Amino acid sequence: MADKLQRRLRSQDWFDNPDHIDLTALYLERFMNYGVTPEELRSGKPVIGIAQSGSDLTPCNRVHMDLAKRVRDGIRDAGGIPIEFPTHPIFENCKRPTAALDRNLAYLGLVEILYGYPLDGVVLTTGCDKTTPSALMAASTVDIPAIVLSGGPMLDGWHEGDLVGSGTVIWRMRRKLAAGEIDREEFMQAALDSAPSVGHCNTMGTASTMNAMAEALGMSLTGCGAIPAAYRERGQMAYRTGRRAVELVMEDLKPSDILTREAFLNAIRVNSAIGGSTNAQPHLAAMAKHAGVELYPDDWQVHGFDIPLLANIQPAGAYLGERYHRAGGTPAIMWELLQAGKLDGSCRTVTGKSMAENLEGRESTDREVIRRFEEPLREKAGFLVLKGNLFDFAIMKMSVVSDDFRKRYLQEPGREGVFEGKAVVFDGSEDYHKRINDPQLDIDEDTILVIRGAGPLGWPGSAEVVNMQPPDHLLKRGIKSLPTIGDGRQSGTADSPSILNASPESAAGGGLAWLRNGDVIRIDFNLGLCDMLVSDGEIERRKADGIPAVPSDATPWQRIYRKSVTQLSDGAVLEGAADFRQIAKNMPRHNH
């Protein structure tokens, strides 16, 4: 294929540079020490990086250690040269104080690799939550041909004959444990049974959501996102992705050609239809910012709110990843949206075809799992965007608002869609766990639980702690959820109807900083308003008390992060990083 190329490749500036024969020798010689030949690297064939996100420390992505072999096969067969390299590890379940700190760190590391090394294109291996946005953010900044290879979800989990989804089972069993319905041993076993194989979360948590977003944006091959990690089709997809990576270089098809505003609006609509994670909001905002695309906070309301829920998968539905894949996965969801006129089919994709062309023949035949647009699980399933004197921006995931929650809070005659409650405020999750069962708080079904100090600055990094469950005495009465508000995030696997991602956060002087226990909060779903019913004068008086304290920096990166990070409404990106776009247009200086 290389003889068809009419331009010099980027890698040739390292390996075949007649103006700098001494530096060419320097760049070449150390690659020889593991058996690569100079003929390969000087052949003019595309050098394709494999950004390896899998390791023993990242079990959700560990499957890529095997899949990389098939990627290599595909690259070689298409006429390319594969070079595999590690990326910064991100493991959502295990990294403390939160893996959200690592997304921007992984982004920075990958930018330096893609820009500073002799790579003509890259396969981005993704899986666990933040591996997808960090990779696509970096690919946009550098703008060399790039393609996403998802690792895929685990096989479906089963516990005593019932489906148990990763993450979701934790939150549901946690409520049962507190209510005295199960013991600790059963709680632990149910959680362990939800992880039966290699792969990431088998629910529509943030991992599955973000891999679906990569597909909706046009950055992976059609059907890539939902194939379970243990299926043979996953290895086949890896091979085809490797082949396609070489072709992308030959065609000079780059992220900037694909990641348009229309593509991001497609992703917002798809996220609503699949019941996707609320973490899609800051991640898509970050990806759009690094792609140079204007994505506005209200786009989630304008373009996503009215989209119905079509995917019957936990936490918003009943099933898990295997059945979702067999039902047609994300392409079948997008097919429904396209037929309904809710998807822009003209968007370009890494396949070299338009999105509409990719979706031909993708209608689902399993209507229990993937519903018709006209017969959804739920109408208006997108994110409700709210604002008021507590924050300028927050979202609520409507697809997980239960019928019981609606009946208790949103259907009072004459006040439909409006409710008020007294606030009980917690400063961080430690405070919540210590005091949630304190009878002096007098928490009842009309209480609104609020957590602050959980945002990008406060935690730091923004933690998944807003899905607070009610105190034990309410759980024992069958009340499984209370209204919750916070400046942090929550797991995409959670089924809590939370108001979250509140920006500006408390630590930045947002309205949550001035809220006090017992204040009445009014939430108006009809107008998209959330306010504490406290006078402006009283709020000003409270500001004299100062912003609630947050933990001090524990590492050098935490200090750097806090000094440069933006709010969740803006994607929690690094200030000034988005100024650097398409940097591969200019070659880096030689190093000697």
Side-chain angles (χ1 to χ4, degrees):
M1 294 184 65
D3 59 351
K4 298 178 183 178
L5 199 60
Q6 300 300 312
R7 68 183 193 284
R8 275 179 62 83
L9 291 171
R10 192 170 180 271
S11 60
Q12 289 178 285
D13 201 64
W14 277 262
F15 297 140
D16 186 22
N17 191 334
D19 297 328
H20 293 282
I21 189 64
D22 53 343
L23 292 174
T24 293
L26 182 68
Y27 299 140
L28 273 172
E29 60 96 357
R30 207 53 55 94
F31 282 97
M32 303 301 103
N33 73 6
Y34 66 96
V36 178
T37 65
E39 304 93 82
E40 292 171 278
L41 295 180
R42 304 193 74 189
S43 64
K45 293 180 178 180
V47 177
I48 307 297
I50 302 172
Q52 178 56 268
S53 60
S55 70
D56 290 351
L57 199 59
T58 54
C60 299
N61 291 38
R62 197 177 187 279
V63 66
H64 282 299
M65 297 170 70
D66 292 322
L67 292 176
K69 300 169 187 175
R70 294 300 288 142
V71 177
R72 287 174 174 271
D73 291 341
I75 292 170
R76 285 283 184 183
D77 285 355
I81 308 294
I83 293 184
E84 186 177 346
F85 60 86
T87 60
H88 179 81
I90 306 179
F91 178 21
E92 185 67 36
N93 297 29
C94 209
K95 173 63 195 289
R96 295 162 65 172
T98 170
L101 274 169
D102 291 47
R103 188 201 67 184
N104 291 349
L105 189 58
Y107 155 77
L108 288 175
L110 187 52
V111 166
E112 292 300 318
I113 293 169
L114 298 183
Y115 177 65
Y117 283 91
L119 302 173
D120 301 307
V122 63
V123 174
L124 306 167
T125 67
T126 67
C128 193
D129 303 13
K130 294 160 187 66
T131 56
T132 305
S134 64
L136 284 171
M137 289 157 62
S140 286
T141 294
V142 182
D143 204 36
I144 60 174
I147 186 170
V148 167
L149 174 64
S150 305
M154 295 182 288
L155 301 178
D156 291 356
W158 293 88
H159 176 73
E160 297 183 351
D162 294 325
L163 280 171
V164 283
S166 44
T168 303
V169 67
I170 299 286
W171 320 124
R172 293 177 179 176
M173 289 296 176
R174 187 174 69 170
R175 293 193 291 262
K176 288 188 175 184
L177 180 66
E181 298 174 18
I182 60 173
D183 59 24
R184 290 173 177 265
E185 184 176 345
E186 185 172 356
F187 174 87
M188 186 66 69
Q189 192 58 53
L192 299 180
D193 286 348
S194 72
S197 75
V198 294
H200 58 67
C201 289
N202 48 27
T203 47
M204 190 53 74
T206 306
S208 288
T209 295
M210 295 316 301
N211 285 283
M213 294 298 93
E215 199 166 335
L217 288 166
M219 287 300 297
S220 65
L221 295 182
T222 308
C224 176
I227 302 170
Y231 276 26
R232 67 179 185 186
E233 292 93 333
R234 179 52 67 191
Q236 294 167 343
M237 180 61 73
Y239 174 80
R240 291 171 182 140
T241 299
R243 288 193 65 97
R244 185 59 192 155
V246 177
E247 294 167 357
L248 288 173
V249 174
M250 308 307 290
E251 298 166 15
D252 198 27
L253 185 59
K254 302 181 294 297
S256 58
D257 301 314
I258 295 167
L259 296 175
T260 62
R261 174 166 166 79
E262 291 73 23
F264 279 98
L265 295 182
N266 277 349
I268 286 175
R269 298 180 186 108
V270 171
N271 188 71
S272 299
I274 62 177
S277 167
T278 49
N279 291 314
Q281 178 268 312
H283 291 327
L284 281 177
M287 288 189 286
K289 187 165 288 291
H290 286 288
V293 171
E294 289 287 350
L295 200 63
Y296 306 101
D298 284 346
D299 283 332
W300 292 92
Q301 181 83 30
V302 174
H303 299 281
F305 180 76
D306 288 332
I307 299 296
L309 178 64
L310 304 181
N312 190 7
I313 180 171
Q314 297 180 23
Y319 297 99
L320 295 173
E322 271 192 271
R323 181 95 179 252
Y324 177 66
H325 164 63
R326 292 199 300 268
T330 304
I333 295 288
M334 290 193 287
W335 186 91
E336 291 292 334
L337 295 177
L338 183 67
Q339 302 309 306
K342 300 298 183 181
L343 200 75
D344 189 334
S346 68
C347 290
R348 299 180 72 180
T349 72
V350 291
T351 67
K353 300 176 181 178
S354 70
M355 183 62 76
E357 291 175 301
N358 291 343
L359 299 178
E360 290 178 4
R362 291 287 181 162
E363 181 179 6
S364 177
T365 56
D366 185 349
R367 291 305 184 180
E368 191 172 356
V369 177
I370 295 180
R371 300 293 185 88
R372 291 181 175 84
F373 187 88
E374 300 80 10
E375 301 173 354
L377 277 80
R378 189 181 298 277
E379 300 283 358
K380 300 183 183 301
F383 298 162
L384 177 69
V385 175
L386 297 122
K387 60 184 177 181
N389 63 9
L390 286 171
F391 41 74
D392 296 336
F393 170 86
I395 57 173
M396 186 173 188
K397 180 177 175 178
M398 301 306 294
S399 62
V400 294
V401 178
S402 68
D403 291 338
D404 176 67
F405 187 94
R406 290 174 186 274
K407 183 178 180 180
R408 277 193 289 127
Y409 299 111
L410 302 178
Q411 295 179 358
E412 181 182 344
R415 288 171 54 88
E416 291 83 356
V418 180
F419 71 91
E420 295 179 1
K422 67 173 183 178
V424 171
V425 184
F426 300 101
D427 287 301
S429 62
E430 298 87 353
D431 187 29
Y432 161 77
H433 288 297
K434 181 180 180 180
R435 295 196 298 130
I436 183 61
N437 287 309
D438 185 345
Q440 293 186 357
L441 292 179
D442 194 26
I443 298 174
D444 58 24
E445 53 264 52
D446 294 321
T447 299
I448 299 175
L449 303 180
V450 180
I451 191 167
R452 64 190 176 195
L457 295 173
W459 196 259
S462 76
E464 295 184 335
V465 295
V466 182
N467 52 314
M468 297 171 284
Q469 70 182 30
D472 294 356
H473 75 272
L474 290 183
L475 289 167
K476 290 173 182 177
R477 287 175 45 198
I479 298 174
K480 296 181 179 180
S481 62
L482 291 176
T484 59
I485 299 173
D487 55 11
R489 301 173 297 111
Q490 73 181 26
S491 170
T493 65
D495 55 2
S496 172
S498 305
I499 295 171
L500 70 171
N501 301 358
S503 306
E505 64 182 291
S506 171
L512 290 176
W514 323 122
L515 187 67
R516 301 291 183 264
N517 282 335
D519 286 347
V520 175
I521 296 174
R522 175 185 293 153
I523 304 173
D524 189 328
F525 280 54
N526 307 311
L527 299 178
L529 296 175
C530 182
D531 293 290
M532 53 178 162
L533 301 185
V534 177
S535 70
D536 292 343
E538 173 61 15
I539 292 174
E540 286 301 314
R541 189 197 66 76
R542 292 177 182 181
K543 288 182 180 181
D545 297 337
I547 293 172
V550 297
S552 59
D553 301 324
T555 66
W557 171 240
Q558 288 187 19
R559 178 167 297 177
I560 294 168
Y561 179 92
R562 275 175 157 153
K563 286 182 177 180
S564 59
V565 73
T566 66
Q567 292 292 289
L568 286 171
S569 57
D570 194 50
V573 297
L574 299 178
E575 286 278 7
D579 295 343
F580 297 86
R581 291 197 56 245
Q582 302 179 24
I583 62 176
K585 287 181 177 180
N586 299 309
M587 295 294 292
R589 298 171 69 185
H590 290 288
N591 57 19
H592 283 77

